Amino acid sequence: MQHVRLTDQVIWFKHIEGKTLLVRLKALQAEEEIHLEIGGVVGRWKRMRSGVDGRPTDGLKPSGAMRDIWSAWYGSKRGDRLTVREVPDENPREPTITSLFPEWASAEDEAAFRDL
């Protein structure tokens, strides 16, 4: 089970307990969104923009309706340790050829048809 400690208006990576999720979050690009279930509530989170010096900011800010929920929790649950997990996007925006034809997802097919 992975956890996050509610210590601020954003989630800082250093407050996430769980290596698997932390690796995934660090791989996000600036402003890229991810769906997380925190304390039983699913919401959108956005990787924070890089600093003015170009270094990545190791944090997530709540997005959409999650802003209000997180803000309310910050007032009432500050310091609490909450469960956290990634929720896969169930509705991809565009189907890929391999999602339509999984039998074509081989290294041989990729090499043969990569330039088409």
Side-chain angles (χ1 to χ4, degrees), residues 26-37:
K26 286 185 175 187
L28 294 173
Q29 298 298 311
E31 306 235 309
E32 186 176 349
E33 289 191 338
I34 187 169
H35 287 87
L36 298 175
E37 179 182 335

Side-chain angles (χ1 to χ4, degrees), residues 16-90:
I16 294 178
E17 303 166 11
K19 189 172 181 139
T20 306
L21 181 61
L22 192 55
V23 168
R24 169 74 174 107
L25 296 177
K26 286 185 175 187
L28 294 173
Q29 298 298 311
E31 306 235 309
E32 186 176 349
E33 289 191 338
I34 187 169
H35 287 87
L36 298 175
E37 179 182 335
I38 300 176
V41 176
V42 176
R44 281 189 337 229
W45 292 82
K46 189 182 288 191
R47 172 89 189 245
M48 295 171 71
R49 285 185 275 201
S50 296
V52 293
D53 60 359
R55 289 184 296 163
T57 303
D58 286 341
L60 299 171
K61 60 183 179 179
S63 184
M66 195 66 203
R67 281 189 301 251
D68 294 334
I69 295 168
W70 193 255
S71 182
W73 284 358
Y74 181 67
S76 64
K77 297 183 180 192
R78 188 177 320 164
D80 284 3
R81 190 171 166 250
L82 305 170
T83 59
V84 59
R85 72 176 183 91
E86 180 179 4
V87 178
D89 189 0
E90 297 293 326

